[in-house]
Amino acid sequence: MAMTTGADESTAAGLRELLKTARLLLLVCGIAIVAGVATGAEVRVGFTQDALTLDPANHRKRETETIIRNIYDGIMTQTSKSEVVPELAESVRQIDSLTYEATLRKGVKFHSGDEMTAEDVKFTFDRLTREKAMGGQTSPRQGLLGPLASTEAVDRYTVRFKLKEPWPVFPRMLPVQEIVSKKFVEKVGSDALATQANGTGPFKLVEWRRGDSIIMERFADYYGGAPAIPPTGAARVDRVIFKIIPENASRMAALMAGEVDIVNEVPVFAINTLERSGKAKVVKANGTRTFFIALNVTRPPFSDVRVRQAANHAVDKKLVIDRLLGNTATPVAGVLSPESFGSKPGLKEYAYDPNRAKKLLAEAGYAKGIDVTLDAEGAFKDQAEAIAAMLTKVGIRTKVQVWEGAVLTPIWRAEKKERDMYFNSWGSGALDPTGIFVPTLKTRDRGNTSGYSNAKVDKLLTAADTELDRNKRADMYHQAEKIVAEEAPWIFLWVPQDIYAVSNRLRGWAPGSDSRINLHRAYLAK
Amino acid sequence: MRLGFIVERLLQLIPVLIGISLVVFLMMTLTPGDPVEIMLGDQLATAEQKESLRRDMGLDLPAAERFIRFVRNSLSGDFGRSFFHRRPVAEVIAERLPATIELTIVAMLIALAVAIPLGVLAAVRRGSLIDKAATVISLIGVSMPGFWLGIMLILLFAVHLGWMPVSGRIDYAFEVPRITGMILFDSLVQGRYAAFLNALHHILMPAVTLGLAMAALLMRVTRTSMIEVLQQDYIVFAEAKGLSRARVLVRHALKNALIPTVTVAALETGYLLGGNTIVEMVFGWPGLARVIVEGIYSRDFPLVQAGVLVIAVIYVTVNFAADVLYTLLNPRVKL
């Protein structure tokens, strides 16, 4: 101890040397704070995920599509009300049940300056559908074009698509396929498209700083975009930047700090804070994903329709939507989103009625109640817990088990179903029943997690898949949905909205149900 | 230092790396979850299309063959293609690794710059108010979760005060031609000082978040070991010789007291590289840790295997460097 007393002065002298580094660091920080950077007319988006690739044919990711769609255009596009309208095409018409013909706009330029022609469209679709057409790899988007057999360039501006079998959804799938330049791909090689881009879209790629940001600038020779979505013309801002900020709180903070003008995936708990800040507005669009609880109909207790109906009567959906989802979801009585083609208004909904639920349960022979497990992914734990508590109240004593999605999905998609209930969802960006009704409820289809099988429903769904008369087709879905609602293989829940927030100065952009952020018409108020 | 020692250490690296590869490979292979299903999601694909994707990914081969191929190809620097990024894994890692290393180095420097002076001060004035305050601060530092601290820093310095950027490595206006991919270093050697300052401005909050918990730990270690050293006879002797207090503390006491600090700092590099994940998420830092975690969720086997392997190599190398540093700090240590 003698060493530490009476030596203050010399100790300080010793420490001075050591503190030099720290002081230098602080000084440099001070300078760094002043080194701000001026920004031009640019819109920045705080976005959850980086693009996996910039090659439009080499991914299956919505977020990647959202980014790419500002650089590349498609033959068709989708309005914020989910209508499919021509973009690079002047028109797309059906010639017969197996043939569609697209007439292309003239004078559309790629960012390289070359004109887009039917050859580019043919090349794009061949690359998507032919085996090993992408430098030895097959496009993972091949399945999105269903039975497309061949694409032919009839003349410089006409393309003909031949299908193997009738497929009325074909035009709906065109907005998610972007046109690449044949000349460019042949020059740089298929692999290079992962990082280089030459599209016909409103913005040119400037730089992709992986994991950090994607920087694009206005393409002055842009043909103007879809006439059905005015205003047309070149983009209104000089530059667009997608800044990747995966963490919710940080993304919201970036909006509040004025670093970005749009953020996606606003968590429900942040809505009030953002709105009260006076710095941002929360904007929503109806989503395309139906949430439901799949009930395993292949074994007791849910093999009994009365138990399934009891479960539907036991859940107070409105309460969950109000308390846990901040009123950002629409309850559904059946499978389809109210905005989907073929959805029928007035489909009878199971009212919240715990007494009726108990009665049905007793009628099924379970007066003393049942013990079941509800499987859910971590992200939906609170919603699953709330529903489990409601079910438990009527005698369906439910325990929630949380899993990782990659583990849970294959368990429930396996042919043999061995568990009870699954908090599940299914999305169909095209808002057509074929993308949601068929996979989840047709016998043994890929997403039929409840194990449901009804010959009449199967027949209706199969017929509707190839029916070209829209009214007849819609009617088939109505009939099928009515049967499903009565047989209740699911607890029908809700369709959540996609929630975004924008800065007060952002104009010219509204979210759509396809979760795209197309910035062609966006600008900043002065 | 003997040449034999270096060769021995390098040879030891081989079984370590093969072991790590095997463990990661087995963990990824045995965890349920099929990359093809995850990639295709809910969307339409025929059985043939799935099979073709599986072939593209090399998943049609038996697990043992996949592992042998991985090890063999890794030796020539070919880690295969990432399932989800759809390009060579080496490319993805090369893009992301410099950001992680840069953040780790700066965090480590901050930790050392805070920990050593505070640790010495607390030891020298043992039992004083400063010592007690340092103990409390280090306790808070160790117990504060990184993501919470990060978000608090963002709210205070970015949202309320507007002094710091929320995320990213450098503003878009700056372009720094790549040499190492570590922007601070690249901008400095190329004389782009404005870019250097801007990058420093961006790295501060993430590095402080990452470095603070370690600073707390290192401070405790430095303090304890300094107290021990200060009680040694040679310190008394040095003082009796009439050397100045500063010289005794820095040249005689600290140099020896730093050996445990260096050991812990080297071991903690592993923590920093792993702890980066959370900080990289919170600050949108485009590093390797984040991409590996995304790879785990999407079962991107080649990416995770190679990413973990690279981190393991760094970890082993840093610890090797620490061993070498011992000999410099204390010539009596013979390797």
Side-chain angles (χ1 to χ4, degrees), chain A residues 391-513:
Chain A
L391 291 168
T392 303
K393 260 192 192 160
V394 303
I396 305 173
R397 290 180 293 272
T398 309
K399 192 177 83 195
V400 174
Q401 184 163 345
V402 175
W403 304 69
E404 191 201 342
V407 180
L408 190 54
T409 313
I411 293 178
W412 274 89
R413 291 203 187 158
E415 190 138 338
K416 192 163 166 48
K417 318 275 177 202
E418 287 172 340
R419 302 188 58 83
D420 303 319
M421 309 163 90
Y422 176 25
F423 190 96
N424 197 192
S425 71
W426 196 276
S428 161
L431 281 171
D432 189 280
T434 197
I436 178 165
F437 212 143
V438 176
T440 57
L441 289 154
K442 201 170 167 182
T443 303
R444 280 198 285 277
D445 215 305
R446 63 189 191 279
N448 189 339
T449 44
S450 64
Y452 180 70
S453 175
N454 178 308
K456 197 160 175 212
V457 170
D458 287 351
K459 208 171 144 200
L460 284 164
L461 292 178
T462 309
D465 247 358
T466 49
E467 175 58 62
L468 296 171
D469 181 316
R470 279 177 68 83
N471 292 334
K472 277 191 198 159
R473 188 163 175 256
D475 188 57
M476 289 170 181
Y477 288 123
H478 298 162
Q479 290 179 47
E481 198 175 26
K482 192 160 172 280
I483 299 171
V484 168
E486 274 162 20
E487 297 204 323
W490 301 349
I491 301 179
F492 304 103
L493 296 176
W494 46 71
V495 176
Q497 291 174 318
D498 293 335
I499 315 170
Y500 301 81
V502 296
S503 69
N504 289 336
R505 59 181 192 155
L506 184 87
R507 304 280 185 277
W509 179 78
S513 58

Side-chain angles (χ1 to χ4, degrees), chain B residues 261-303:
Chain B
T261 311
V262 168
T263 313
V264 174
L267 289 171
E268 286 292 298
T269 311
Y271 159 81
L272 281 190
L273 290 167
N276 268 345
T277 316
I278 289 165
V279 175
E280 284 178 8
M281 290 295 275
V282 170
F283 291 97
W285 192 261
L288 184 61
R290 202 174 96 198
V291 109
I292 293 179
V293 172
E294 287 163 6
I296 292 173
Y297 282 116
S298 54
R299 302 289 189 269
D300 196 335
F301 300 158
L303 181 61

Side-chain angles (χ1 to χ4, degrees), chain A residues 33-236:
Chain A
I33 287 164
V34 185
V37 171
T39 54
E42 65 188 29
V43 169
R44 299 174 178 189
V45 183
F47 200 57
T48 39
Q49 284 186 33
D50 196 10
L52 290 170
T53 170
L54 295 183
D55 183 345
N58 207 1
H59 70 94
R60 285 290 282 257
K61 197 95 183 149
R62 256 189 180 210
E63 286 82 359
T64 299
E65 169 97 6
T66 294
I67 293 171
I68 286 179
R69 228 2 176 114
N70 285 286
I71 303 173
Y72 287 95
D73 275 0
I75 292 184
M76 306 287 271
T77 190
Q78 208 164 303
T79 67
S80 57
K81 301 219 161 19
S82 307
E83 293 157 285
V84 173
V85 294
E87 195 170 43
L88 289 172
E90 270 170 4
S91 63
V92 172
R93 66 193 180 99
Q94 186 168 15
I95 300 200
D96 56 49
S97 66
L98 296 175
T99 317
Y100 288 82
E101 190 176 274
T103 309
L104 303 176
R105 283 164 168 267
K106 296 182 181 73
V108 173
K109 288 209 172 115
F110 283 106
H111 299 156
S112 58
D114 299 318
E115 194 193 8
M116 182 209 64
T117 66
E119 279 302 327
D120 297 305
V121 177
K122 174 180 163 50
F123 178 79
T124 300
F125 281 84
D126 284 350
R127 197 165 171 264
L128 285 160
T129 52
R130 289 194 182 164
E131 289 291 322
K132 302 194 183 299
M134 301 193 314
Q137 290 184 84
T138 305
S139 169
R141 299 181 81 75
Q142 191 189 42
L144 293 174
L145 286 165
L148 176 63
S150 67
T151 310
E152 294 313 322
V154 179
D155 59 40
R156 192 168 166 83
Y157 300 108
T158 312
V159 184
R160 203 165 272 186
F161 300 99
K162 273 270 180 209
L163 306 180
K164 284 179 215 138
E165 57 189 64
W167 199 47
V169 204
F170 180 68
R172 279 229 149 251
M173 301 313 278
L174 293 175
V176 294
Q177 316 298 348
E178 295 85 22
I179 304 305
V180 299
S181 155
K182 180 179 183 218
K183 190 173 150 194
F184 181 73
V185 180
E186 284 175 348
K187 188 176 132 207
V188 299
S190 201
D191 277 358
L193 234 52
T195 53
Q196 299 178 35
N198 180 28
T200 54
F203 295 99
K204 292 188 284 192
L205 174 71
V206 176
E207 192 186 355
W208 180 14
R209 297 181 177 174
R210 310 277 205 293
D212 182 275
S213 52
I214 295 184
I215 306 160
M216 310 170 192
E217 69 182 13
R218 183 173 176 269
F219 175 44
D221 286 340
Y222 185 52
Y223 67 93
I229 315 174
T232 54
R236 299 167 85 173

Side-chain angles (χ1 to χ4, degrees), chain A residues 3-4 10 15 28-29 58 60 137 142 144 209-212 243 250 259 289 404 406 413 426 446, chain B residues 33 42-43 49 86-87 95-96 121 124 165-166 168-169 172 174 200 204 230 245 282 290 299:
Chain A
M3 281 178 294
T4 58
S10 51
L15 289 173
V28 174
C29 302
N58 207 1
R60 285 290 282 257
Q137 290 184 84
Q142 191 189 42
L144 293 174
R209 297 181 177 174
R210 310 277 205 293
D212 182 275
K243 241 177 114 106
S250 314
E259 270 184 37
R289 192 160 267 277
E404 191 201 342
R413 291 203 187 158
W426 196 276
R446 63 189 191 279
Chain B
D42 298 346
Q43 306 193 38
Q49 285 159 355
R86 313 277 290 165
R87 53 205 175 92
E95 282 161 13
R96 299 298 195 97
L121 196 63
V124 172
V166 173
R169 291 179 78 190
Y172 312 107
F174 294 105
L200 190 65
L204 266 181
L230 285 175
R245 179 72 174 156
V282 170
R290 202 174 96 198
R299 302 289 189 269

